[in-house]
C-alpha cells in the first residue's frame, strides 16, 4: 500500500446565498438558500514513500482543501483516503502522530511563550525522548539557525524567523509524511534557499513531502513530481521533466546586432521561429534588437546562432531557458489545457 | 497524561502574559459583587433575616458565588471561538491530543490565577465588612468537594458554548446569553429560594445550580450531611453527562468545519 492513497476525493461546501441589500439579508433569515460549491472534485492521488510532490494550481483551485482533507482536518463529502494505512478524519490521533503539517499562514507556536517552550510542549505532546529531542534540535540549529530564536516569544518573531521555528515545530517528531502549505511565503531569498535545502535533505532521508505553493522555485528545487489542479480537478500528474519536455519547450533568444538588420531576412532564414522586434524600436523595417522564440526540440540554439551570424554582426545575445513557471503561468491564465494537450 | 499536564502548565504561564487584561476583566465581576452586597446590605440591615439568610450568611453566599463566577472566566471560550473563526483550529486538529481534554487541561492550568485573585478579593471584602459565619470541619470538607466539581462543570458549559462557533460565525451573542442564563439559574446573584416556585423547579432540573448554589449553600450551612452529599452527587452526575454530551456535539460539529482563507 502506498503511503498516501486517495480515491475520488470530493469536498462540497455549502454556502448561504444572500440576496442583495438589507431586504435580502432579512429574507435570508426566513428562507435559507444555499448553493453548493465543489472545492475538490473527485481527485485520485497516490503518493509513494519518500516522494516529494508539488501540488499546485491557481488561487481557489482546491489545493489547501485537499491538504486539509489529507491531514484529517476536514471530513470529505465523498471518496476515500488512507495515509499510512489510517483514515485521517476518523483516526485523528493516530494520523496526527505520523504527519507533520505546516500552514505557512498560521503558526503552531504558542503565541505567548518563547519558542523553546513551544518546542518543549510539542516534545511532550508527541512523547519524544529527551535524547532524540536534543539530537533533533541540534540538527535544526545547523540548518535553520534555531538557537538564536529559542528565547524569543513567538509573537515577537519576524515572519522569516517564525517560519523557521514553525518548520522545526512541524518536523520535531520525525513525521513520515509532511504537508507544507505555502512554506516559503513571505521569506527572503536566503531563508528560502535554506528552507529548500532542508526540505531536500528531509526527502533524501525517506520522508514523504507534499508541498502546495505559488513559488515555482520551491517546486523546481525540491520536488520530482508535480500535480496541477484547477477548479478542484486534477489536470496534470507527472514528473517535472515531463512538464518541461511536454509543455515548456519554448526558448527565448534576445539578440543585439551591431548594425540594423531587416526582420524579413531573418524570418526567411528561421521560418520555425517567432520573431519580434526588441524594446524601443519600430515594429517595421530594419533595426538592431530582436527577440526570437523557438521550440527547443525543433531548432537548436546553435542553428539559430548560425542563422543570426549570417545576416549581420551580433553584438550581444541572451538565452532564456524555459521554466516550469511558464507552464504553470499559462495553465493559470487558461492558455494551456494540459489534459487536452497531453492526449494529443 | 503527561501531555495534558504539560498543556496545563503552559497555560498557567501563558495567562501571566495578559495580567492587565485579567485584572480588568475581574473588575466587572467585582462591581457585580459590590452591587449585590450593597443591595442585600440594605435589605438585610438591622439584623433582619430572609429565607434563612441574615447579613453574614448572605455575604458568605455571595462571596462563594463570586469565587465560582471567577473560575473559567478568563476567556477560554473566546480563545476557542477565535481559533474556530479564524481557522487556527486547523492547527489544533493536527495535534495528537484529544481536543476536549486538551481544552480542559488549559482551563485547569489557567484556574490558579482566577482562584488566587478571587480569594484576594474575598479577603478584602471580609476585611472591610467583618467576618462571616464559618462552617465546621465536616461541612468545610463537603464544601471543598463541591467546589472541585464546579471547575469541570463550568468548563463544560463554556466549552459547549464555544463549540457553537462551528455553526454560527458570531460568538458574542452566545457568550452574553450564556452569562445571563448561568448567573440567573446558578443562583449566584439571588439565592434560588427567593425565586417563584416554577422557576425553582426549572432551576432544579438544569445543571447551573450545581455551578454555584450547591457549594454556596453548603458553605452557609443550609445544606448538611446526606442532603449535601446528594447534591454533590448531582454535581458529579452533571459533569459526566455534560462531558458525554459535549463529545456528541463535538462529533457533529467537526463534520461542519470549514476553514476560510487558506
Amino acid at each position: 500500500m502506498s503511503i498516501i492513497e486517495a480515491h475520488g476525493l470530493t469536498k462540497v461546501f455549502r454556502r448561504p446565498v444572500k440576496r442583495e441589500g438589507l431586504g435580502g439579508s432579512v429574507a435570508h433569515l426566513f428562507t435559507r438558500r444555499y448553493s453548493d460549491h465543489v472545492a475538490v472534485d473527485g481527485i485520485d492521488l497516490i503518493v509513494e514513500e519518500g516522494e516529494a510532490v508539488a501540488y499546485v494550481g491557481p488561487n481557489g483551485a482546491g489545493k489547501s482543501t485537499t491538504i486539509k482533507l489529507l491531514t484529517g482536518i476536514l471530513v470529505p463529502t465523498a471518496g476515500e483516503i488512507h495515509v499510512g494505512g489510517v483514515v485521517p478524519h476518523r483516526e485523528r490521533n493516530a494520523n496526527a502522530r505520523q504527519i507533520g503539517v505546516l500552514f505557512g499562514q498560521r503558526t503552531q507556536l504558542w503565541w505567548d511563550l518563547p519558542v523553546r517552550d513551544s518546542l518543549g510542549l510539542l516534545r511532550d505532546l508527541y512523547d519524544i525522548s529527551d535524547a532524540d529531542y536534543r539530537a533533533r534540535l541540534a540538527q535544526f540549529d545547523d540548518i535553520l539557525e534555531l538557537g538564536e530564536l529559542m528565547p524569543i516569544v513567538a509573537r515577537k518573531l519576524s515572519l522569516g524567523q517564525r517560519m523557521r521555528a514553525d518548520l522545526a515545530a512541524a518536523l520535531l517528531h520525525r513525521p513520515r509524511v509532511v504537508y507544507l502549505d505555502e512554506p516559503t511565503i513571505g521569506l527572503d531569498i536566503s531563508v528560502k534557499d535554506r528552507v529548500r535545502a532542508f526540505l531536500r535533505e528531509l526527502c533524501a532521508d525517506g520522508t514523504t513531502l507534499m508541498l502546495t505553493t505559488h513559488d515555482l522555485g520551491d517546486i523546481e528545487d525540491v520536488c520530482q513530481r508535480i500535480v496541477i489542479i484547477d477548479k478542484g480537478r486534477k489536470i496534470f500528474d507527472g514528473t517535472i521533466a515531463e512538464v518541461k519536455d511536454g509543455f515548456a519547450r519554448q526558448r527565448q533568444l534576445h539578440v543585439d546586432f551591431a548594425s540594423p538588420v531587416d526582420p524579413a531576412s531573418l524570418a526567411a532564414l528561421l521560418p520555425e521561429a517567432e520573431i519580434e522586434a526588441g524594446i524601443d524600436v519600430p515594429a517595421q523595417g530594419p533595426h538592431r534588437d530582436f527577440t526570437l522564440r523557438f521550440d527547443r526540440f525543433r531548432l537548436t540554439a546553435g542553428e539559430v546562432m548560425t542563422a543570426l551570424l549570417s545576416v549581420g554582426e551580433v553584438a550581444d545575445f541572451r538565452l532564456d531557458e524555459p521554466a516550469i513557471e511558464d507552464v504553470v503561468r499559462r495553465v493559470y491564465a487558461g492558455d494551456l489545457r494540459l489534459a487536452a494537450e497531453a492526449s494529443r | 497524561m503527561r501531555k495534558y499536564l504539560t498543556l496545563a502548565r503552559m497555560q498557567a504561564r501563558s495567562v501571566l502574559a495578559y495580567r492587565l487584561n485579567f485584572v480588568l476583566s475581574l473588575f466587572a465581576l467585582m462591581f457585580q459583587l459590590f452591587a449585590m452586597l450593597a443591595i442585600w446590605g440594605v435589605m438585610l440591615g438591622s439584623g433582619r433575616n430572609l429565607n434563612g439568610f441574615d447579613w453574614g450568611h448572605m455575604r458568605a453566599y455571595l462571596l462563594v458565588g463570586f469565587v465560582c463566577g471567577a473560575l473559567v472566566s478568563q476567556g477560554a471560550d473566546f480563545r476557542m471561538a477565535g481559533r474556530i473563526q479564524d481557522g487556527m483550529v486547523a492547527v489544533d486538529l493536527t495535534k495528537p491530543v484529544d481536543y476536549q481534554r486538551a481544552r480542559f487541561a488549559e482551563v485547569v492550568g489557567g484556574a490558579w490565577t482566577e482562584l488566587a485573585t478571587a480569594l484576594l478579593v474575598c479577603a478584602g471584602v471580609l476585611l472591610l465588612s467583618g467576618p462571616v459565619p464559618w462552617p465546621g470541619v465536616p461541612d468545610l470538607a463537603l464544601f471543598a468537594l463541591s467546589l472541585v466539581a464546579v471547575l469541570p462543570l463550568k468548563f463544560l458549559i463554556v466549552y459547549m458554548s464555544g463549540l457553537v462557533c462551528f455553526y454560527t460565525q458570531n460568538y458574542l451573542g452566545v457568550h452574553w446569553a450564556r452569562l445571563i442564563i448561568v448567573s440567573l439559574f446558578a443562583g449566584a446573584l439571588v439565592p434560588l429560594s427567593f425565586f417563584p416556585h416554577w422557576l425553582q423547579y426549572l432551576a432544579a432540573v438544569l445543571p447551573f445550580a450545581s455551578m454555584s448554589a450547591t457549594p454556596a449553600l453548603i458553605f452557609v450551612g443550609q445544606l448538611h450531611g446526606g442532603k449535601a452529599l446528594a447534591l454533590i452527587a448531582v454535581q458529579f452526575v452533571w459533569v459526566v453527562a455534560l462531558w458525554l454530551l459535549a463529545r456528541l456535539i463535538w462529533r457533529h460539529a467537526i463534520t461542519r468545519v470549514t476553514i476560510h482563507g487558506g
Side-chain angles (χ1 to χ4, degrees):
Chain A
M1 200 178 190
S2 309
I3 185 115
I4 301 178
E5 285 196 10
H7 298 289
L9 197 56
T10 301
K11 180 71 188 177
V12 180
F13 290 115
R14 213 165 62 135
R15 283 180 183 157
V17 182
K18 291 186 187 172
R19 269 160 284 162
E20 223 171 297
L22 179 64
S25 294
V26 173
H28 183 73
L29 290 177
F30 301 103
T31 50
R32 304 223 149 194
R33 288 196 310 170
Y34 296 93
S35 72
D36 284 343
H37 165 68
V38 183
V40 173
D41 191 0
I43 283 185
D44 296 315
L45 189 69
I46 303 227
V47 180
E48 301 298 335
E49 193 129 29
E51 258 191 306
V53 179
Y55 198 66
V56 303
N59 283 332
K63 300 184 298 288
S64 289
T65 305
T66 312
I67 297 289
K68 283 174 190 125
L69 289 165
L70 293 175
T71 48
I73 295 166
L74 296 178
V75 179
T77 311
E80 273 179 48
I81 319 172
H82 288 274
V83 175
V86 166
V87 179
H89 58 274
R90 269 193 223 120
E91 297 149 87
R92 232 175 264 277
N93 263 350
N95 185 54
R97 291 191 167 278
Q98 60 173 2
I99 64 166
V101 190
L102 173 77
F103 295 109
Q105 309 185 41
R106 308 182 192 284
T107 182
Q108 51 184 319
L109 303 167
W110 275 258
W111 211 230
D112 307 311
L113 297 175
V115 173
R116 181 186 293 116
D117 292 0
S118 279
L119 294 178
L121 177 47
L122 288 170
R123 173 193 60 201
D124 288 352
L125 291 190
Y126 288 99
D127 296 319
I128 302 168
S129 75
D130 279 343
D132 195 22
Y133 178 66
R134 273 195 300 273
R136 203 69 175 144
L137 284 191
Q139 191 191 356
F140 289 146
D141 194 25
D142 278 351
I143 311 162
L144 301 169
E145 289 176 14
L146 209 58
E148 61 186 40
L149 308 180
M150 291 299 251
I152 306 177
V153 174
R155 71 182 123 87
K156 299 199 170 150
L157 294 173
S158 73
L159 182 58
Q161 291 174 327
R162 203 214 82 202
M163 204 65 92
R164 275 147 63 198
D166 251 318
L167 259 177
L171 301 170
L172 194 66
H173 56 293
R174 300 180 194 277
R176 290 169 74 193
V177 187
V178 175
Y179 304 95
L180 304 165
D181 197 356
E182 310 266 354
T184 59
I185 197 167
L187 299 186
D188 68 36
I189 303 285
S190 72
V191 181
K192 240 180 216 182
D193 281 346
R194 222 179 305 157
V195 168
R196 287 172 187 166
F198 182 58
L199 295 179
R200 277 199 299 275
E201 200 169 299
L202 209 68
C203 208
D205 289 346
T207 307
T208 309
L209 216 61
M210 201 157 160
L211 196 75
T212 81
T213 181
H214 283 294
D215 189 319
L216 302 157
D218 286 350
I219 303 169
E220 286 190 281
D221 278 11
V222 179
C223 304
Q224 306 97 43
R225 180 175 157 196
I226 181 168
V227 175
I228 306 180
I229 66 162
D230 191 19
K231 300 192 180 77
R233 287 172 181 275
K234 194 160 87 172
I235 56 175
F236 180 83
D237 186 348
T239 64
I240 303 267
E242 272 169 14
V243 175
K244 279 190 167 177
D245 291 351
F247 311 106
R249 303 163 61 139
Q250 202 175 53
R251 277 172 158 169
Q252 270 193 70
L253 189 110
H254 306 277
V255 64
D256 209 353
F257 287 102
S259 52
V261 164
D262 184 8
S265 61
L266 258 183
L269 279 170
L270 295 166
E272 302 260 28
E274 206 181 297
I275 298 166
E276 210 177 85
I279 317 156
D280 291 339
V281 294
Q284 309 282 298
H287 50 86
R288 292 170 44 196
D289 290 3
F290 293 93
T291 299
L292 291 90
R293 293 199 190 82
F294 57 95
D295 187 327
R296 65 195 167 102
F297 290 120
R298 293 205 184 146
L299 277 177
T300 66
E303 285 165 342
V304 175
M305 277 316 287
T306 311
L308 292 177
L309 288 167
S310 73
V311 294
E313 190 189 332
V314 172
D316 196 9
F317 74 94
R318 178 165 56 86
L319 184 64
D320 290 345
E321 282 298 323
I324 193 96
E325 199 161 338
D326 300 323
V327 182
V328 177
R329 194 177 294 137
R330 280 160 64 204
V331 171
Y332 287 10
D335 292 347
L336 188 63
R337 306 242 178 283
L338 284 177
E341 296 251 341
S343 63
R344 228 186 256 169
Chain B
M1 193 59 205
R2 174 170 148 215
K3 49 191 173 187
Y4 297 105
L5 286 175
T6 312
L7 274 172
R9 217 173 48 231
M10 285 294 172
Q11 189 58 32
R13 289 185 51 195
S14 275
V15 287
L16 291 178
Y18 295 104
R19 283 160 299 223
L20 185 66
N21 182 40
F22 172 56
V23 170
L24 286 178
S25 67
L26 217 77
F27 264 124
L29 264 178
M30 266 160 60
F31 275 113
Q32 197 181 308
L33 172 69
F34 293 148
M36 293 321 288
L37 282 173
I39 292 169
W40 286 109
V42 172
M43 300 217 291
L44 298 171
S46 60
R48 227 173 307 161
N49 183 316
L50 282 173
N51 282 3
F53 286 94
D54 63 18
W55 174 226
H57 282 125
M58 187 53 88
R59 275 183 301 138
Y61 184 90
L62 290 174
L63 286 176
V64 174
F66 171 71
V67 173
C68 292
L71 283 175
V72 204
S73 67
Q74 286 314 301
D77 49 347
F78 275 100
R79 272 199 307 279
M80 214 172 115
R83 289 178 79 86
I84 292 169
Q85 282 165 3
D86 69 15
M88 283 300 285
V89 70
V91 174
D92 301 332
L93 291 176
T94 58
K95 295 280 173 288
V97 287
D98 179 81
Y99 190 80
Q100 189 167 328
R101 275 188 221 159
R103 300 293 83 77
F104 182 51
E106 285 171 1
V107 160
V108 171
W112 73 272
T113 45
E114 295 162 347
L115 200 60
T117 321
L119 290 178
L120 222 70
V121 172
C122 288
V125 169
L126 292 183
L127 221 66
L128 290 175
S129 68
V132 294
W134 206 255
V137 174
D139 279 352
L140 212 53
L142 287 174
F143 165 71
L145 188 62
S146 172
L147 201 59
V148 165
V150 171
L151 189 66
L153 263 176
K154 273 205 80 173
F155 159 73
L156 286 164
I157 297 293
V158 164
Y159 174 75
M160 284 192 281
S161 65
L163 286 184
V164 172
C165 285
F166 281 111
Y167 301 91
T168 159
Q169 287 301 311
N170 182 359
Y171 180 63
L172 210 58
V174 179
H175 174 76
W176 284 114
R178 191 200 79 222
L179 275 190
I180 289 163
I181 292 172
V182 169
S183 56
L184 177 69
F185 285 108
L189 306 179
V190 180
L192 296 172
S193 56
F194 287 81
F195 282 13
H197 280 296
W198 64 273
L199 212 54
Q200 283 189 41
Y201 286 128
L202 191 58
V205 296
L206 290 173
F208 308 112
S210 290
M211 291 163 59
S212 180
T214 302
L217 288 176
I218 293 174
F219 192 86
V220 300
Q222 296 206 1
L223 281 174
H224 294 285
K227 222 173 157 207
L229 274 173
L231 280 176
I232 291 171
V234 167
Q235 282 185 302
F236 282 97
V237 168
W238 272 121
V239 170
V240 174
L242 293 181
W243 184 272
L244 297 176
L245 178 65
R247 279 235 183 280
L248 272 181
I249 297 175
W250 165 256
R251 203 173 298 166
H252 183 259
I254 200 68
T255 63
R256 302 268 313 222
V257 177
T258 47
I259 285 150
H260 304 284

